Each structure stands twice: as structure tokens, then as C-alpha cells.
Amino acid sequence: MFKFTLEKKSSQCKARTGTIETNHGVIKTPVFMPVGTRATVKAMNNDELKSIGSQIILSNTYHLYLKPGQEIIRKADGLHKFMNWDRPILTDSGGFQVFSLSKTRKITEEGVQFRSHIDGSKHFISPEKSMEIQNDLGSDIMMAFDECVPYPASYEYTEDSMKRTLRWLKRCKDYHKNTDKQNLFGIIQGGMYKDLREYSAKNTIDFDLPGYAIGGLSVGEPRDLMIDLLDFTTDFMPENKPRYLMGVGTPDYLFEAVEHGVDMCDCVLPTRIARNGTALTSKGKLVVKNAKYKDDFSALDDNCDCYACKNHTRAYIRHLLNVDEILGARLLSIHNLRFLIKLMENIRKSIEEDRYLEFKDEFYRNYGYDYHQKCDNIK
Amino acid sequence: MFKFTLEKKSSQCKARTGTIETNHGVIKTPVFMPVGTRATVKAMNNDELKSIGSQIILSNTYHLYLKPGQEIIRKADGLHKFMNWDRPILTDSGGFQVFSLSKTRKITEEGVQFRSHIDGSKHFISPEKSMEIQNDLGSDIMMAFDECVPYPASYEYTEDSMKRTLRWLKRCKDYHKNTDKQNLFGIIQGGMYKDLREYSAKNTIDFDLPGYAIGGLSVGEPRDLMIDLLDFTTDFMPENKPRYLMGVGTPDYLFEAVEHGVDMCDCVLPTRIARNGTALTSKGKLVVKNAKYKDDFSALDDNCDCYACKNHTRAYIRHLLNVDEILGARLLSIHNLRFLIKLMENIRKSIEEDRYLEFKDEFYRNYGYDYHQKCDNIK
């Protein structure tokens, strides 16, 4: 079961709303997806995730393959049962992590040999292996095994890699065993070269898959270049399939993604900066750890409806962070995730009411954001 | 407001039930009190604490004096508001921590000079200072500033220390500024010497305080000696005042405490062993981290009604602990606390029905506990 319905298109830009129906429920888009790398969204439990409106979560093939291992999750009858999450799950293919986390790796046509970042043990993941693992995980949306080319990279390297990713995509599609319940998304690569992006987009879309992702953006390139390439790429993507921009999660980049026709985004940013003591608020970032909040008995964000804002003060949360108490990370994680999910809910509403640009202006006015400032996106 | 009502006395032993009424609600005794040293019960939030039946929590004068500092909590209008906990709070006096955590300390008649275990800075806490801090914290039950004599200690040292603790108790009572809302408990010391215990008990009780604690037990002495001294001490304690045995939290010691007439216990054990991967269950301790649970898809404890047992498996919790995810510590903490709180609820019920010994036998039969085995209590 997988059905994408395009609902409303903005008259102001490429923004759009829709729904994705899966075996584990409906996802209203645009959507921000919290990341639960190791079968848990860091510091959160499932009830909390639902309470803040998480419609779908991500998890990670590479991490789960290493620990606890695919057999255990297969024995549990899949990731949903293993972690007791009954809403949709999207799994990353492991490609990005094999390349970014493993110190030594060897790419061949067959796949990637790498060493575990945990214990240095040798492993090999091919497109087929990634599909096998993801079939065991039973995720609703599976990602094709690809190479995310780093920035900067030469034209030649980028072209070779992108074409190999396309060959790997064919092998992924051919190997995928559970097409009734699990839906394979292809990933458009091509680095910072428009002709390669075009080639990748057209050839990926030729596979006629349930959805498509844009990979290899927000990897360190300048903001303007990222937006230009994003805009360029989505023009090639079919309107009747969901579009997923991988690894994007600052408010700024979420706006840019939606504005250029993207339906789905994910990022570890909200939970990562939470554990470092930073809150996203309607008035901009707030480094709660700062001494100036030591006796500030107001909420993190007066406009927020999350558990942290309804129950606790900046002074208390600062104290918890200061003495490294788990509740501090919990409260900031729930807040930051709610902030981005609510932002997407409001963006969706603004598109429905065809006042997306007005909403964006209003948001930025409160946020105090300088449009021209470099975005400190964290992949 | 403070009222202790003795409700039911066992015909089988010294066990009893009662209620303590405070400005922040009623506590049914016997009660196990979770420890929230730094204004948070580790890994838990307030809603979870309530959901598992926490009637009262502990917090710590020494830790809160160092961080965030008493002024911040005074500005917040007390600890209840600072941490948004609306049920009763008991604060330890700081005495135990000054002696156990600070490397260099100097005891004089006036008080204790010590260095912070955090940054080595010099501080001085006297009975008056402890009362001043606890008055700022606004706890419902305040503990007198005492010295908890280590085990073993000579007769002479123990006698001197115990008599100083009595002189300090007078200064605590004289200085305490908020007797309408906050209730000072005296602490009976005297180490492992019965005549000193008797002297301490009689002289402490002469102060006619709202309640009394037994300190200096469960500090490393043999189990039989501890029980003998406990039994000896409670005989001197008035029936119409609550009795609090400090720092006790294994199932075994909770039974012994109640059986010998104690109403209140606390311990960091359930949350500490949780973070190390051990669960307390109706069938004994379970080291969830062990490899044998890697594909065990049953609950931690079939007889438990906590969030962890209702929602997750041993295999999943083991995975979380194995990869050091916060949710692992959360789930085991909620489970272990619920286990001890429910144990006390069941003990209370068994006293009401005058079948305490039958309940104890039944519990130990399931628990597989060897009565003669040394108890691995953790202060």
C-alpha cells in the first residue's frame, strides 16, 4: 500500500501539500521526519513522539545492521515491532553512513567494503545487501543504496559515482523482495553539476518508483548554490510522486525545501543541538546553557505547546543541562522536534490557504533571521 | 501542616501503616521515596513519577547549594516551583554528602568546612546554614544537619560525633524559620553501639519533632548487625511519629525496615542500577545487558504495570543499553522505581490485611532470594 495524493499547489511558488498513504497510516506533507538512527529518536519515547505530531520516523540501515544486527530485528518481525512504533518508518540505505562514518572503505562496482566505526570489524554492503537488511527491517519507505558525493568533488568523480548509483538502483529494484508492503525510493545525485543532476534525475525517474529523493545537497556547499540546484532538480521530478530532500532540518532550509517543491525532510539537528543545550524558538535560537538564563523563569518559547514549555522554565532546564541530567536533554529534544514539526504543520496550513509567502515573512520577522547570513546546517 | 496518623499495626511484627499529611498532599506509609538529588529524579519526568505512584521525592541540600545555588531556587519561590513538582519533597541536610563526596573536610563544633566535589571551591556548612538553605528550598520535610559515622568507627569517635549531632540538632531547631510549612526531622546516630543508639534516640526524641530518622545504618556493616540495631533503635521511637530509615532501597532491606517498624525509606539504587543495565523483577535481578536477552521478546517483568513493561521487550531495552541510548536508562529507571513503589504498596496492603509475613514469603519465593546471602545494598 502506497499512495501519494497531491492536494494543493501554491500559486506563489512550487510549494504543495499532499498525503502519503502507507500500511502504517497516512502522512500529511510537507512533513519533517525525526531521526531515530538506532531504533530510537534520541532521548524520546514513542508516546512523546506521537504527542508532538510525529507522523513518520527515520531509522538507519547501517547502524541497525551493526547493532543489534538484522537477524534480531527479523526475529522481532521487523523494526515496527522491535521498537513498538506503529506509524510509518523510513530507512536510510546505509550508503551515507558507510561513506561518512567508516574510516577505511573501498568502493567497487559490487559494493562497499568498510570497517565498523564501533569495533573496526570488516563488512561489505552491496545494493542487494542493503535491500536484504531493509526487507528485514520492514520499513514502509526504503532508500536505494547510493553514494552521497562529498563537497567539493571533481566533475569526473561525481559523474562516475552518479552513474554507479544508477546501476546500483537497478540492482536495488531487482533485489527488493517485499514490494507489496515496502516502497523503494531512488536518490538523485549529481553533486554540484547541473547536467549531471539532470542526467541523474531523468534516469532515476525512469525506474518508475513510488518516490524520489534528492541526495548530495546540504553537504557543505554555499546556501545559494544549494537552493539553485534544488530548484533545478525538482523541475525534473514528477508531480505525482513524493519528493524527499535528505538531511535538511534548519528552519531556513525547511522553508527553502518546501518552496522549491519538496514534500519530506529529515535531520538530526533538532535532537543534536538539544543535547548541546540549544533550543529552536519562534524568536530564534536560544542557547539555554548561557548564564543569563539562570534565573529566567519563563518558558523556552511562549508560543510552544510542548511538554517542556508547558511545564518547565529556562532556569530549570539550564540547571539540568549544567549538571548533565538526562531530563535536560529530554526536555530540549521534545521542544526542538515539536518546533520543527509545528513549523511544517503551519507551512502546510499556509499552503492550503495560499498564503505561504506571507507566513514565511511573518515567521522570519519573529525569528529575527538575516536572510543573507550563512545557514549553519548540520547534516 | 503536618499530621501523622497511625492506621494499622501488624499482629505479626512491628510493621504498621499510616498517613502523613503535608501542605503538598498525603503520603501513605510505608513509602519508598525516589531520590531526585539535583532537583530531578534521574532520567524521569514529573508525569512519569506520578504515573508510577511516587508520593514524595527526595532532593539534596548539598547538591542544590552548589548548583544551581540557593538564591536561584529562592527566586523561583522554592524547589516545588523550580522543578514544578506539586507533591511533597523531603530534603537531606547535606551532612551525608559533605562527608562522603568532599575529599577534604574539617569538622569543628561550628560546622564543616569542605571543598566542592565539582570545582574544589571552599565552602562551610553549619547547622544554621543547612536550615537556611532548606528554608529556601521550601521542602515539606527537612533533615537535621548531622554526621553519618562511617563503618567501622571507634566507640570514642562515634560517641563524640553523636553528641555533636545532638548539639547541632538543637541549633537546627532553633534556627529553622518556617515551622508552619516545613517540618524538621531529627536523625538518630550512634553507629554500631547500642548504648550510644539508645542515648541518641532518647535525646533526639526529647526535641519533640514531627518525625525521626535512623541514620548511620546500611553503611557497610553486616546484614544481621544492621537488623539488630534497627530493631533495637525503633523500640525507642514514639509510635505517633513517622520513622525514616535513610538510604535503604533493596527489596530485602525494605522488608526488614518495614518489619521493624519503619515508615519511610529512600535510595538511589533503583535509578543507579537502571543506568548500569540491571532490572529489579518479581523473579529477582535481571541484568538486561546480558547477551542471552538479545532476542528475548518478553517484558522485563510480566507482573509489572510500568510503561517499559507495557510497551517494550528485553531485547529492545538490551539494544538501547548496548548502544548507550537515553531511552534505555529511561525505561529501566521507570521500571525499577515502579518495582519498589509497587512493592511498598503491596507491603502496605498486606499489613492492612494482617498477612504481612505471608506476603513476604510469597514475594521471596518468586524472587528466588536466599535469606542468608549478603545483601548488596548500595548507599
Coordinates of all heavy atoms in Angstrom, one line a residue, chain B residues 31-71:
Chain B
V31 N 6.4 3.9 52.8 CA 6.6 4.5 51.5 C 8.0 4.4 51.0 O 8.9 4.6 51.8 CB 6.1 6.0 51.5 CG1 7.0 6.8 52.5 CG2 6.2 6.7 50.1
F32 N 8.2 4.1 49.7 CA 9.6 4.3 49.2 C 9.6 5.6 48.4 O 8.8 5.9 47.6 CB 9.9 3.1 48.2 CG 11.2 3.3 47.6 CD1 12.4 3.1 48.3 CD2 11.4 3.9 46.3 CE1 13.7 3.3 47.7 CE2 12.6 4.1 45.7 CZ 13.8 3.8 46.4
M33 N 10.7 6.4 48.7 CA 10.8 7.7 48.1 C 11.9 7.8 47.1 O 13.1 7.6 47.4 CB 11.1 8.7 49.3 CG 10.2 8.6 50.4 SD 10.5 9.8 51.8 CE 11.9 9.1 52.5
P34 N 11.6 8.0 45.8 CA 12.6 8.1 44.8 C 13.5 9.3 45.1 O 13.1 10.3 45.7 CB 11.8 8.4 43.5 CG 10.4 7.9 43.8 CD 10.2 8.1 45.2
V35 N 14.8 9.2 44.7 CA 15.7 10.3 45.0 C 16.0 11.2 43.8 O 16.3 10.7 42.7 CB 17.1 9.7 45.5 CG1 18.1 10.8 45.8 CG2 16.9 8.8 46.7
G36 N 15.7 12.5 44.0 CA 16.0 13.4 42.9 C 17.1 14.4 43.4 O 16.8 15.6 43.6
T37 N 18.3 13.9 43.5 CA 19.4 14.6 44.1 C 19.5 16.0 43.7 O 19.5 17.0 44.5 CB 20.7 13.9 43.7 OG1 20.6 12.5 44.1 CG2 21.9 14.5 44.4
R38 N 19.5 16.2 42.3 CA 19.7 17.6 41.8 C 18.4 18.2 41.2 O 18.4 18.7 40.1 CB 20.9 17.5 40.8 CG 22.1 17.0 41.4 CD 23.3 17.1 40.6 NE 23.3 16.1 39.5 CZ 24.3 15.8 38.7 NH1 25.5 16.3 39.0 NH2 24.2 14.9 37.7
A39 N 17.3 18.0 41.9 CA 16.0 18.6 41.5 C 15.5 17.8 40.3 O 14.7 18.4 39.5 CB 16.1 20.1 41.3
T40 N 15.9 16.6 40.1 CA 15.3 15.7 39.1 C 15.7 14.3 39.5 O 16.8 14.0 39.8 CB 15.9 16.1 37.7 OG1 15.5 15.0 36.8 CG2 17.4 16.1 37.7
V41 N 14.7 13.4 39.4 CA 14.9 12.0 39.6 C 15.5 11.5 38.3 O 14.9 11.6 37.3 CB 13.6 11.2 40.0 CG1 13.9 9.7 40.1 CG2 13.1 11.7 41.3
K42 N 16.7 11.0 38.4 CA 17.5 10.8 37.1 C 16.7 10.0 36.1 O 16.2 9.0 36.3 CB 18.8 10.0 37.5 CG 19.8 11.0 38.1 CD 21.2 10.3 38.2 CE 22.1 11.1 39.1 NZ 22.3 12.5 38.7
A43 N 16.7 10.6 34.9 CA 16.1 10.1 33.7 C 14.5 10.2 33.6 O 13.9 9.8 32.6 CB 16.5 8.6 33.4
M44 N 13.9 10.6 34.7 CA 12.4 10.7 34.8 C 11.9 12.1 34.7 O 12.6 13.0 35.0 CB 12.0 10.1 36.2 CG 12.5 8.8 36.6 SD 11.6 7.5 35.8 CE 10.0 7.6 36.6
N45 N 10.6 12.2 34.2 CA 10.0 13.5 34.4 C 8.9 13.4 35.4 O 8.6 12.3 35.9 CB 9.5 14.0 33.0 CG 8.3 13.3 32.5 OD1 7.5 12.7 33.2 ND2 8.0 13.5 31.2
N46 N 8.3 14.5 35.8 CA 7.3 14.5 36.8 C 6.0 13.7 36.5 O 5.5 13.0 37.4 CB 6.8 16.0 37.1 CG 8.0 16.8 37.8 OD1 8.9 16.2 38.3 ND2 7.9 18.1 37.7
D47 N 5.6 13.7 35.3 CA 4.4 12.9 34.9 C 4.7 11.4 35.1 O 3.8 10.7 35.6 CB 4.0 13.2 33.5 CG 3.3 14.6 33.3 OD1 3.2 15.3 34.3 OD2 2.9 14.9 32.2
E48 N 5.8 11.0 34.7 CA 6.2 9.6 34.9 C 6.3 9.3 36.3 O 5.8 8.2 36.7 CB 7.5 9.3 34.2 CG 7.4 9.4 32.7 CD 8.8 9.5 32.0 OE1 9.8 9.8 32.6 OE2 8.8 9.3 30.7
L49 N 6.9 10.1 37.1 CA 6.9 9.9 38.6 C 5.5 9.7 39.2 O 5.3 8.8 40.0 CB 7.7 11.0 39.3 CG 9.2 11.1 39.1 CD1 9.8 12.4 39.6 CD2 9.8 9.9 39.9
K50 N 4.6 10.5 38.7 CA 3.3 10.4 39.2 C 2.6 9.1 38.7 O 1.9 8.4 39.5 CB 2.4 11.6 38.9 CG 2.8 12.9 39.6 CD 1.9 14.1 39.3 CE 2.4 15.3 40.1 NZ 1.5 16.5 39.8
S51 N 2.9 8.8 37.5 CA 2.2 7.6 36.9 C 2.7 6.3 37.6 O 1.9 5.3 37.5 CB 2.6 7.5 35.4 OG 3.9 7.0 35.2
I52 N 3.8 6.3 38.2 CA 4.3 5.1 38.9 C 4.0 5.2 40.4 O 4.4 4.3 41.2 CB 5.8 4.8 38.7 CG1 6.6 6.0 39.1 CG2 6.0 4.5 37.2 CD1 8.1 5.6 39.2
G53 N 3.2 6.2 40.8 CA 2.8 6.3 42.2 C 3.8 6.9 43.2 O 3.7 6.6 44.4
S54 N 4.7 7.7 42.7 CA 5.6 8.4 43.6 C 4.8 9.4 44.4 O 4.2 10.4 43.9 CB 6.7 9.2 42.8 OG 7.3 8.4 41.9
Q55 N 4.8 9.2 45.7 CA 4.0 10.1 46.6 C 4.8 11.3 47.1 O 4.3 12.3 47.4 CB 3.5 9.4 47.8 CG 2.8 8.1 47.5 CD 2.2 7.4 48.8 OE1 1.3 8.0 49.4 NE2 2.8 6.3 49.1
I56 N 6.1 11.1 47.2 CA 7.1 12.1 47.7 C 8.4 11.8 47.1 O 8.7 10.7 46.8 CB 7.1 12.0 49.2 CG1 8.3 12.9 49.8 CG2 7.3 10.6 49.7 CD1 8.3 13.0 51.3
I57 N 9.2 12.9 46.8 CA 10.6 12.6 46.3 C 11.6 13.3 47.3 O 11.2 14.2 48.0 CB 10.8 13.1 44.9 CG1 10.5 14.6 44.8 CG2 9.9 12.3 43.9 CD1 11.0 15.2 43.4
L58 N 12.8 12.8 47.2 CA 13.9 13.4 48.0 C 14.6 14.4 47.1 O 14.7 14.2 45.9 CB 14.8 12.3 48.3 CG 15.0 12.1 49.8 CD1 13.7 11.3 50.2 CD2 16.2 11.3 50.1
S59 N 15.3 15.4 47.7 CA 16.3 16.1 47.0 C 17.4 16.5 47.9 O 17.3 16.1 49.1 CB 15.6 17.4 46.3 OG 16.5 17.8 45.2
N60 N 18.4 17.1 47.4 CA 19.6 17.2 48.2 C 20.2 18.6 48.4 O 20.5 19.3 47.5 CB 20.7 16.3 47.6 CG 21.7 16.0 48.7 OD1 22.6 16.9 48.9 ND2 21.7 14.9 49.3
T61 N 20.3 19.0 49.7 CA 20.7 20.3 50.1 C 22.2 20.6 49.6 O 22.4 21.7 49.0 CB 20.7 20.5 51.6 OG1 19.3 20.4 52.0 CG2 21.3 21.8 52.1
Y62 N 23.1 19.7 49.7 CA 24.5 19.9 49.3 C 24.5 20.1 47.8 O 25.1 21.1 47.4 CB 25.3 18.6 49.7 CG 26.6 18.5 49.1 CD1 27.7 19.1 49.7 CD2 26.8 17.8 47.9 CE1 29.0 19.0 49.1 CE2 28.1 17.7 47.3 CZ 29.2 18.3 47.9 OH 30.4 18.2 47.4
H63 N 23.9 19.3 47.0 CA 24.0 19.4 45.6 C 23.3 20.7 45.1 O 23.8 21.4 44.2 CB 23.4 18.2 44.9 CG 24.2 17.0 45.0 ND1 24.0 16.1 46.0 CD2 25.2 16.5 44.2 CE1 24.9 15.1 45.8 NE2 25.6 15.3 44.8
L64 N 22.2 21.0 45.7 CA 21.4 22.2 45.2 C 22.1 23.5 45.7 O 22.0 24.5 45.0 CB 20.0 22.2 45.6 CG 19.2 21.0 45.0 CD1 17.7 21.0 45.6 CD2 19.1 21.1 43.5
Y65 N 22.8 23.4 46.8 CA 23.5 24.6 47.3 C 24.7 24.9 46.3 O 24.9 26.1 46.0 CB 24.1 24.2 48.7 CG 25.3 25.1 49.1 CD1 25.1 26.4 49.6 CD2 26.6 24.6 49.1 CE1 26.1 27.2 50.0 CE2 27.6 25.4 49.5 CZ 27.4 26.7 49.9 OH 28.5 27.5 50.3
L66 N 25.3 23.8 45.8 CA 26.4 24.1 44.9 C 25.9 24.5 43.5 O 26.4 25.4 42.8 CB 27.3 22.8 44.7 CG 28.1 22.5 46.0 CD1 28.9 21.2 45.7 CD2 29.1 23.6 46.3
K67 N 24.9 23.8 43.0 CA 24.3 24.1 41.7 C 22.8 23.7 41.7 O 22.5 22.6 42.0 CB 24.9 23.2 40.6 CG 26.3 23.8 40.1 CD 26.7 23.1 38.9 CE 28.0 23.8 38.4 NZ 28.5 23.2 37.2
P68 N 21.9 24.7 41.4 CA 22.2 26.0 40.8 C 22.5 27.0 41.9 O 22.8 28.2 41.5 CB 20.8 26.3 40.2 CG 19.8 25.6 41.0 CD 20.5 24.4 41.5
G69 N 22.5 26.7 43.2 CA 22.7 27.7 44.2 C 21.3 28.1 44.8 O 20.3 28.1 44.2
Q70 N 21.4 28.3 46.2 CA 20.1 28.5 46.9 C 19.3 29.8 46.4 O 18.1 29.8 46.5 CB 20.3 28.5 48.4 CG 21.1 29.7 48.9 CD 21.5 29.6 50.3 OE1 22.6 29.3 50.7 NE2 20.5 29.8 51.3
E71 N 20.1 30.8 45.9 CA 19.4 32.1 45.6 C 18.4 31.8 44.4 O 17.4 32.4 44.3 CB 20.4 33.2 45.2 CG 21.5 33.5 46.1 CD 22.7 32.7 45.8 OE1 22.8 31.5 46.3 OE2 23.6 33.2 45.2

